[in-house]
Amino acid sequence: MKRRVLGLLPGRADWAAVRRSPRRDLLAGLTVAVVALPLALAFGVTSGLGAQAGLVTAVVAGAVAAIFGGSNLQVSGPTGAMTVVLVPVVQQFGPTGVLMVGAMAGLILVALALARLGRYVRYLPAPVIEGFTAGIAVVIALQQVPAALGVTDAEGDRVWAVAADAVVRFVVHPRPAAVAVALGVAALMLLGARWRPGLPFSLLGVAAATVLAETTPVELVRIGALPQGLPAPSLDFLDLGAASVLLPSALAVAALAALESLLSATVADGMTVSERHDPDRELFGQGLANLASPLFGGIPATAAIARTAVNVRAGASSKLAALTHAVALAVIVLAAAPLVGRIPLAALAGVLLATTVRMVEAGSLWALARATRGDALVLVLTFAVTVIWDLVTAVAVGVAVAVVVALRAVARSARLEQVPLDAGDHSAEEHALLAEHIVAYRLDGPLFFAAAHTFLLELSDVADVRVVILRMSRVSTIDATGAQVLGDAITRLRGRGITVLLSGITPGHDQVLATLGVADQLRREGLVFPDTPAAIRHARPIALGVTAGATQ
């Protein structure tokens, strides 16, 4: 256990990465801080704990996750998906309940990291990840619609509903200045990245929009007044008596934090060439971040794909960028709140709109959509559910459909094939006799629940034979359902007077059959053989005996 814990702590490789390009990391961190600031404020308000809670989460959880997390590129803080989970908790248990849920979720995440469960996210199918990424990009873009249109009072219970309501309100009272600023900043970032990829065009665009808003009479909504300072750490929220009641909410928060963080890290890896995250360390870092955030009044945190994408596109290459983002936000809270409060929200919407364009790899999506019908179905469903409902539901639906598609493909690969008997040294008369009264079937592939029904139908249709040899050496796997169906098929054949011989059962499969009592009667009668030649030798006198009896 000690070695496992030490393996989750920061090592020399982390700090070696920091020394590669510190200037680019610092600039990337500042860029992310500018983008993260309004999001942190908004998510804090949406959660029900206020803007200051969002800022505290971005600073404290962002710094802890940056230091202890398993990705060099990940940026953590409050997210929209998390606020959806937290709103019912606030309504039922109040602000202290949210803080307690966050701490409990942190403990759960640390336990998952110690159990090394983070690595299993790598088994998520590519269509699920790509559909999730494209869906998140659309959700982020929809979230920017009100700010890009200059609308502050849009309503709705889903992000697309809020965006639609903002469009309706914009049509009634158009604000072209906000649209121009948002599109201008987005265009500057997208075109500037092609011209000079190393320059922080997002910062330049936000600065230009702020100067424009300050020097011209255009009507633009600003961030507004910011709270100054961070609260002192406190454990007043602890209520061990409420732990059992809050446990379901804590499990939901932990599941969302783990899923969103690991998928975000996977997406970040896909946006680079050489970076690969450590999933168990990422869970550990998110766990510690969620333990630290409630101490200062912060809400539960997770990795944020939007901020992570901005970080990657800004040129980040180490944890220094994410840590700089947290420090910059702390400095802003303490010293520069009035200045930042003058930034137009439309400019920040433009930054995120450009980021969503960069997040989607159209070529990859098109290739997956054309690969197979199953991949296309999983991709489209994951994307649609992410946009219409939420992330956890989307991944659950995507994985479930992917499993069904995979089982269907595997079940189709299972075959029951009649094979010719090797004549060997037998005379032509004996071989004709064998061919007439003995049939051998070779089972290829998996014999499990998805393929068992077809197997039973095919084998039960065997007719005009006296001996059936089932060659099991090529069975790749067998489960309880497959074993029981095999037993049913043997019983049906024996009930019709057909002798059944088994050959080539591997030790692992033999254990499953023996445990379930399948073919026990065959074992007692000596009708289970190590290989097919031995089974054929045993079958010959049976066939001859049947024939002799029939002619007398």
Side-chain angles (χ1 to χ4, degrees), residues 391-416:
L391 167 65
V392 175
T393 304
V395 174
V397 169
V399 170
V401 174
V403 168
V404 172
V405 171
L407 288 177
R408 183 169 177 264
V410 172
R412 285 184 170 184
S413 69
R415 298 191 307 274
L416 181 67

Side-chain angles (χ1 to χ4, degrees), residues 247-274:
L247 182 59
S249 298
L251 290 171
V253 168
L256 178 59
L259 189 59
E260 192 167 7
S261 298
L262 293 175
L263 287 178
S264 175
T266 302
V267 170
D269 289 347
M271 297 173 68
T272 62
V273 176
S274 58

Side-chain angles (χ1 to χ4, degrees), residues 224-315:
L226 298 179
Q228 294 185 346
L230 296 176
S234 172
L235 291 173
D236 292 342
F237 65 88
L238 285 181
D239 183 3
L240 298 180
S244 59
V245 179
L246 295 173
L247 182 59
S249 298
L251 290 171
V253 168
L256 178 59
L259 189 59
E260 192 167 7
S261 298
L262 293 175
L263 287 178
S264 175
T266 302
V267 170
D269 289 347
M271 297 173 68
T272 62
V273 176
S274 58
E275 291 293 338
R276 289 295 178 269
H277 71 284
D278 183 327
D280 295 321
R281 282 189 60 192
E282 183 59 30
L283 288 182
F284 185 70
Q286 294 298 330
L288 294 183
N290 279 284
L291 283 172
S293 182
L295 297 178
F296 296 87
I299 61 178
T302 179
I305 291 184
R307 278 154 273 180
T308 299
V310 171
N311 194 38
V312 176
R313 295 302 183 186

Side-chain angles (χ1 to χ4, degrees), residues 83-153:
T83 58
V84 175
V85 179
L86 296 179
V87 169
V89 179
V90 176
Q91 294 173 347
Q92 187 172 359
F93 302 104
T96 56
V98 172
L99 302 182
M100 185 69 179
V101 164
M104 293 172 64
L107 290 174
I108 294 171
L109 289 169
V110 170
L112 293 177
L114 293 175
R116 297 181 178 179
L117 297 180
R119 65 194 64 190
Y120 291 106
V121 77
R122 72 184 63 176
Y123 297 114
L124 284 176
V128 173
I129 295 176
E130 292 291 343
F132 158 82
T133 305
I136 286 294
V138 171
V139 169
I140 295 171
L142 290 174
Q143 287 175 338
Q144 309 317 307
V145 170
L149 299 179
V151 177
T152 58
D153 54 352

Side-chain angles (χ1 to χ4, degrees), residues 447-449 472 475-487 502 505-520 523:
L447 182 59
F448 70 132
F449 68 93
M472 306 281 291
V475 174
S476 57
T477 185
I478 185 170
D479 68 357
T481 304
Q484 289 179 348
V485 168
L486 175 64
L502 298 181
I505 304 175
T506 63
H509 300 159
D510 190 47
Q511 182 179 359
V512 174
L513 297 177
T515 301
L516 295 175
V518 176
D520 282 350
R523 296 174 195 277

Side-chain angles (χ1 to χ4, degrees), residues 409-470:
V410 172
R412 285 184 170 184
S413 69
R415 298 191 307 274
L416 181 67
E417 180 182 2
Q418 183 175 349
V419 293
L421 293 170
D422 185 7
D425 295 331
H426 304 308
S427 65
E429 180 182 355
E430 290 175 328
H431 181 61
L433 185 63
L434 288 173
E436 182 179 354
H437 295 287
I438 303 174
V439 64
Y441 284 95
R442 184 175 63 209
L443 282 69
D444 284 338
L447 182 59
F448 70 132
F449 68 93
H453 181 67
T454 302
F455 165 80
L456 178 61
L457 291 178
E458 291 185 15
L459 192 56
S460 298
D461 287 340
V462 174
D464 299 327
V465 296
R466 295 294 178 263
V467 182
V468 170
I469 301 175
L470 297 181

